[in-house]
């Protein structure tokens, strides 16, 4: 069994980005600039956005964090998005999800200029992704593709089972794994909460990509020998013995499955760190496309 080390790969990607940024600055241009909008005080979202800002500093990007109170109106958020759309100094921005319930997420995502949508969530960019056109790939699926590529995992003709049909991970990674090329060329099955006899699919999978958010959902009895496992789950589970009061758990019972798997991503340190690295890569792409 080989562990797919997302922390290591994400650091390599950040070093590659830093080299490009240094060159941009040396040429007299300004560094790429990423902004993040955070509405409210959700603990996990604060952590993610904090990591995004720190990673920007690591690679020499400029970053702006726009923090809005939980009770911000939809209109005020849309106004802020309009400002960011028109700010020539900002190459890309993200609106951290989930948003408070009184704000219509679809309206917000549609308001982001697709040329600055480094999350790849706008329908224009999602459509381009599905059609295999150059665009911003959503960061988590992009990170999975990059891990498979850098570990030289052959996905062609393999049975890939994706668990979960979210717009952010499950649906886009199912599209990317079935498209032409490597990584890709997989025979993809997308299973979800309404799937009957889910185990019958996971047991026949060569590759399992799980984005369900149920800790330890997958155990060794549900997988075949030499399976490749990509665990996208990151659930906070209460644990008073830990200083933070919680631990992070993946969808996969790592200890149960590790002897059977040929490759596996750990949680934490697998897909998670890749998401931020790929967001930075999208921001770099956005700056280069503006020329
Ligand atoms: N919430 C969970 N994942 C993401 C992500 O990739 N982007 C944004 N904007 N919000 C998220």
């Amino acid at each position: 069994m080989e562990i797919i080390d997302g922390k290591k790969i994400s650091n390599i990607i950040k070093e590659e980005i830093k080299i490009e940024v240094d060159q941009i600055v040396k040429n007299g241009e300004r560094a790429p600039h990423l902004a993040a909008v955070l509405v409210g005080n959700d603990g996990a979202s604060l952590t993610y956005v904090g990591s995004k800002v720190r990673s920007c500093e690591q690679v020499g990007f400029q970053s702006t964090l726009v923090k809005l109170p939980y009770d911000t109106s939809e209109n005020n958020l849309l106004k802020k998005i309009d400002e960011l759309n028109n700010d020539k100094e900002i190459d890309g921005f993200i609106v951290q999800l989930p948003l408070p319930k009184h704000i219509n997420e679809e309206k917000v995502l549609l308001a982001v200029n697709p040329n600055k949508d480094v999350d790849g969530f706008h329908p224009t960019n999602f459509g381009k992704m599905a059609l295999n056109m150059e665009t911003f790939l959503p960061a988590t699926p992009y990170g999975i593709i990059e891990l498979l590529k850098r570990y030289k995992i052959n996905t062609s003709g393999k049975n890939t089972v994706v668990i979960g049909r979210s717009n952010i991970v499950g649906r886009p990674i199912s599209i990317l794994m079935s498209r032409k090329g490597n990584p890709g060329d997989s025979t993809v099955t997308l299973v979800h909460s309404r799937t009957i006899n889910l185990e019958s699919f996971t047991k026949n999978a060569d590759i399992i990509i799980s984005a369900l958010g149920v800790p330890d959902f997958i155990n060794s009895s549900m997988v075949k020998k030499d399976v490749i496992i990509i665990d996208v789950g990151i659930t906070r589970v209460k644990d008073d013995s830990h200083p933070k009061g919680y631990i992070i758990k993946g969808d996969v019972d790592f200890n149960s499955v590790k002897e059977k798997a040929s490759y596996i991503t750990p949680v934490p340190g697998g897909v998670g760190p890749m998401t931020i690295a790929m967001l930075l890569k999208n921001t770099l792409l956005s700056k280069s496309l503006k020329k």
Side-chain angles (χ1 to χ4, degrees):
M1 184 270 299
E2 187 170 353
I3 288 186
I4 299 180
D5 189 343
K7 183 108 191 95
K8 184 177 90 185
I9 301 292
S10 70
N11 281 330
I12 293 171
I13 292 170
K14 283 195 225 169
E15 279 165 25
E16 292 166 359
I17 294 173
K18 178 144 187 14
I19 290 167
E20 289 197 48
V21 174
D22 288 348
Q23 196 56 49
I24 289 170
V25 174
K26 225 185 233 167
N27 292 344
E29 288 177 53
R30 66 164 176 78
H33 189 165
L34 172 69
V37 182
L38 176 63
V39 186
N41 277 312
D42 176 67
S45 292
L46 275 167
T47 309
Y48 297 147
V49 170
S51 299
K52 286 170 186 171
V53 170
R54 267 196 310 284
S55 297
C56 281
E57 285 164 11
Q58 276 176 9
V59 300
F61 278 16
Q62 287 177 266
S63 67
T64 298
L65 173 56
V66 180
K67 266 175 113 171
L68 300 173
Y70 185 85
D71 59 2
T72 300
S73 68
E74 186 178 281
N75 249 345
N76 277 345
L77 176 58
L78 292 172
K79 267 189 210 149
K80 193 72 222 174
I81 290 172
D82 196 44
E83 268 174 45
L84 294 168
N85 282 339
N86 290 304
D87 187 336
K88 293 205 164 41
E89 301 284 303
I90 286 176
D91 300 296
F93 67 96
I94 64 147
V95 181
Q96 187 65 32
L97 303 178
L99 288 166
K101 292 223 168 7
H102 65 275
I103 295 176
N104 182 332
E105 186 179 295
E106 196 174 299
K107 229 174 174 177
V108 168
L109 298 182
L110 274 167
V112 176
N113 178 345
N115 295 324
K116 292 193 174 189
D117 169 40
V118 286
D119 254 335
F121 291 172
H122 190 284
T124 295
N125 289 326
F126 199 96
K128 283 184 171 178
M129 174 203 65
L131 295 168
N132 219 356
M133 295 161 71
E134 184 179 46
T135 187
F136 306 117
L137 298 181
T140 303
Y142 192 7
I144 295 168
I145 292 293
E146 200 64 25
L147 283 177
L148 293 169
K149 199 186 271 177
R150 297 212 183 207
Y151 275 83
K152 299 189 168 55
I153 291 170
N154 178 20
T155 60
S156 178
K158 298 289 166 68
N159 284 330
T160 294
V161 170
V162 175
I163 308 177
R165 53 182 159 178
S166 72
N167 293 341
I168 296 182
V169 185
R171 178 111 25 222
I173 194 64
S174 71
I175 293 169
L176 293 171
M177 289 300 286
S178 68
R179 72 181 185 175
K180 274 194 178 151
N182 200 55
D185 286 334
S186 264
T187 304
V188 177
T189 310
L190 179 58
V191 300
H192 47 75
S193 53
R194 296 299 176 100
T195 296
I196 293 164
N197 198 359
L198 190 138
E199 274 190 48
S200 66
F201 296 97
T202 57
K203 274 182 177 154
N204 284 308
D206 301 307
I207 302 170
I208 295 175
I209 301 175
S210 185
L212 194 63
V214 178
D216 294 339
F217 179 76
I218 295 165
N219 60 47
S220 70
S221 71
M222 295 167 72
V223 303
K224 72 174 184 185
K225 184 143 174 37
D226 293 332
V227 65
I228 294 159
I229 294 191
I230 308 291
D231 187 351
V232 193
I234 30 166
T235 309
R236 289 183 175 195
V237 176
K238 193 169 159 6
D239 184 341
D240 291 331
S241 68
H242 200 271
K244 283 184 175 163
Y246 66 85
I247 52 166
I248 301 287
K249 283 250 180 204
D251 289 351
V252 178
D253 183 343
F254 187 90
N255 286 326
S256 158
V257 161
K258 70 176 186 213
E259 297 310 329
K260 244 174 158 178
S262 57
Y263 289 91
I264 185 166
T265 61
V267 176
V271 176
M274 290 298 290
T275 298
I276 296 179
M278 304 326 281
L279 180 66
L280 299 175
K281 218 166 154 64
N282 277 343
T283 309
L284 190 64
L285 173 68
S286 178
K287 177 149 198 319
S288 74
L289 291 176
K290 264 206 213 88
K291 278 190 195 146

